[in-house]
Amino acid sequence: MHTYDEKKKKQPQQRPLLLNRYEKGELLGVGNFACVYHARHISTGDEVAIKVVEKSKIFKSELSKEHIEREIAVLYRLRHPNIVRLFEVMASKTKIYIVMEYVRGGDLLHKLSTDGALSEAVGRKFFQQLISAVKFCHARGVYHRDIKLENLLVDEKGDLKLSDFGLSAVAEQKRAAALFSTMCGTPAYVAPELLAHRAYDAARADVWSCGVVLFGLQAGYLPFRDINGKAMGHRIRKGEVRYPKSFSSDLTGLLHRIFVPDPTKRITISEIMETSWFRKDFREVKLYDRCSSLDNIEYEHTPGSSFDSSPAARRLTKLNAFDIISFSPWLKLSGMFEDGGCERWYTSSAEVLEIVSRLEEIAGSVGFTVQTKDFVVSIEGREKEEEEPLWIVVEVSELTPDVAVIVATKKGGDREEYEEFCNNKLSPGLQSLKGNTSLENAACGVH
Amino acid sequence: MGCIPTKLAKHTPGYEDPTVLASETSFSVCEVEALYELFKKLSHSIFKDGLIHKEEFQLALFKNSKRKNLFADRIFDLFDIKRNGVIEFGEFVRSLNVFHPDTPTEEKIAFAFKLYDLRHTGYIERDELKEMVLALLDESGLHLSDDVVEVIVEKTFSQADSKGDGRIDPDEWKEFVSQNPALLKNMTLPYLKDMTMVFPSFVVNSELDEEDL
């Protein structure tokens, strides 16, 4: 059933096409478990990088199958402008192909070796982007554990992309073992607690590596150099760093708080983000992490304009009977794919504009961020250290001239927090509107 | 095609070759293999025979095999192309294909029409529309007075039934949908493009030869 001799005969080998979609190009790099090729999508022309992994090699190395599955699923959720994006995964009997964003500009180690140390402004920008990406990962329980200049790519716009998550994360246990038993890797980025072979807090170890990267960007060389393994280990354990005179005192001050051997006393990601050195020219990254589901709703936030513009000009969706039917989550096969969103529906006889302003008040009262476009209100919870913030999109539509329907959909964040917000804030807030407001249903896909 | 008997035993009667399914649908062969991981899970949740029974479908949607719902029933009936009471793998993939972002709109329009033609008369009738609106209101606990429901159904029907013969035929439906494209929103699940990352266990189980990629 699964040999296709006839087909092979019919199609003589032309160009090596993968999945009838990708034209495989030159070899970009070779690692322990994988080779990376440049490739091009034949219909869109998009360039991608494809990591080819030999199944026999990874399964030989104690890596469990579940581990690889989990890692792919985790990477899939890491959509951040400073993280190399995963597009799709392919597999044959013998190989796994991981299709990722192709980043043209090469890695930061290469950049340093050609350009030398970077200016403080440029180094700061890369560091800010790195910290944004790392914070994003940590919030999702993902720890890179192999942050180094070679894994930081730069795109044509000069923006940083954190890469090599997949395999370094997949291969993490194996790699760590290799690193410390044989010293075959470059331990220059490794935090002292890892040298001690003790259980360690991966988030704090990532901070250390970020410090090594920052030092490298600004000095043009690494703080712990591999002249002699033993001496280097000693200096890492003591957090002994000699700062070049060219470093500003703010920069040295920040690095000094990173290179603290005791991980519990080391500065954290959020503390780094509060320092004045970091904050300079810092532009908060707008996360498009969950925008894929929002393709048909655009948000153009023009401050202060939401209520000044003439209400007549704003588009109010008028629902017909089929629209009502299509509210049924079961028509969307909700539940089958485990990403079931949560929705709540309300009807109200209040004025639609009044409803929109009430929604904005409710969100404002708990300090959430509100953006309104026409009759769509996007509500975002506060940024959180460990989790994705809550994100709810509420759409107000007209059912009849006297009845409006309000649909509140969870687009991101924790389900319990969503329920709590709906029960304690949204429902009472809407129910206190003039006119009858009724609500009931909450349809939630079960995770 | 050469078959290795031991391999055959791994699959259940409704199994179809992923390369064939991929050639007939918008899914790639890897995406079909990823969907097979989902299918295995759904089709083994109760009866473990590699076919999705109604109860298993309800369990997947509602997390409750006993719960019934008009719309879930309709979806099940349409997925069960052979109308033998179970969804086979091939039926599963071909039906989900309707929801694929790359599938032509015509197919989506036709599927939606069949969905709403509750009694398979070839027309969507007024009482069917009302029945579905009432079912949705009931399932969601929204309270609307009978008068309001009547007004909504009447208004929608008069817009869609352009020939005024009291029923909506496929041409009228097509016309109505083209004026109200939001009605097809349900018929596209962007998520279907991500199947290989959502069900990555296929990478371990893949039976594809290198040449078939």
Side-chain angles (χ1 to χ4, degrees), chain A residues 18 50-52 88-90 95-99, chain B residues 210 213:
Chain A
L18 284 170
I50 299 186
K51 190 169 267 183
V52 185
E88 69 173 306
V89 182
M90 304 183 279
K95 291 184 179 124
I96 300 172
Y97 298 83
I98 300 169
V99 184
Chain B
E210 274 303 297
L213 271 183

Side-chain angles (χ1 to χ4, degrees), chain A residues 321-337 345, chain B residues 57 61-62 69-76 78-79 96 98-99 111-112 114-116 118 132 136 139 173 183-189:
Chain A
F322 287 107
D323 289 313
I324 300 177
I325 297 169
S326 69
F327 281 159
S328 176
W330 319 122
L331 292 181
K332 292 177 238 174
L333 304 175
S334 177
M336 191 179 286
F337 297 110
W345 305 308
Chain B
F57 192 72
L61 259 48
F62 310 127
N69 171 285
L70 175 67
F71 302 107
D73 278 356
R74 289 300 299 142
I75 292 274
F76 185 88
L78 288 183
F79 273 48
L96 279 181
V98 173
F99 295 86
F111 189 90
K114 282 195 267 177
L115 197 62
Y116 298 147
L118 297 180
M132 291 186 282
L136 182 278
E139 113 183 11
W173 173 247
L183 292 183
L184 284 185
K185 240 164 53 180
N186 273 350
M187 294 291 120
T188 296
L189 301 172

Side-chain angles (χ1 to χ4, degrees), chain A residues 1 4 55 76 92 97 338, chain B residues 2 41 140 194 203 210 212:
Chain A
M1 184 179 278
Y4 304 101
K55 281 192 194 178
Y76 166 56
S92 70
Y97 298 83
E338 300 180 13
Chain B
K41 200 175 87 187
S140 60
D194 295 345
V203 302
E210 274 303 297
D212 291 311

Side-chain angles (χ1 to χ4, degrees), chain A residues 153-281:
Chain A
L153 309 179
V154 184
D155 69 7
E156 14 331 8
K157 282 179 272 172
D159 288 322
L160 174 140
K161 304 267 182 183
L162 179 55
S163 85
D164 216 3
F165 247 93
L167 280 198
S168 65
V170 168
E172 181 256 320
Q173 291 132 338
K174 171 78 179 172
R175 198 175 37 77
L179 195 63
F180 299 116
S181 55
T182 66
M183 285 312 243
C184 66
T186 309
Y189 294 83
V190 151
E193 63 269 26
L194 269 76
L195 294 177
H197 296 273
R198 271 175 301 178
Y200 63 94
D201 178 337
R204 289 172 190 272
D206 273 353
V207 168
W208 179 283
S209 311
C210 289
V212 176
V213 165
L214 175 58
F215 185 103
L217 293 176
Q218 305 288 234
Y221 56 85
L222 297 178
F224 308 103
R225 277 180 292 178
D226 201 1
I227 309 159
N228 152 346
K230 221 173 180 178
M232 184 172 73
H234 181 75
R235 290 187 49 216
I236 291 174
R237 270 186 280 267
K238 295 230 153 155
E240 210 178 281
V241 181
R242 275 183 224 111
Y243 297 100
K245 288 204 182 71
S246 59
F247 280 20
S248 68
S249 59
D250 274 358
L251 172 60
T252 308
L254 170 59
L255 286 166
H256 193 73
R257 293 176 67 190
I258 293 177
F259 296 130
V260 174
D262 179 353
T264 62
K265 298 195 174 117
R266 191 175 304 148
I267 189 169
T268 63
I269 294 280
S270 41
E271 285 164 354
I272 290 175
M273 297 181 84
E274 284 160 17
T275 61
S276 57
W277 190 86
F278 184 93
R279 293 231 62 91
K280 189 162 187 264
D281 304 322

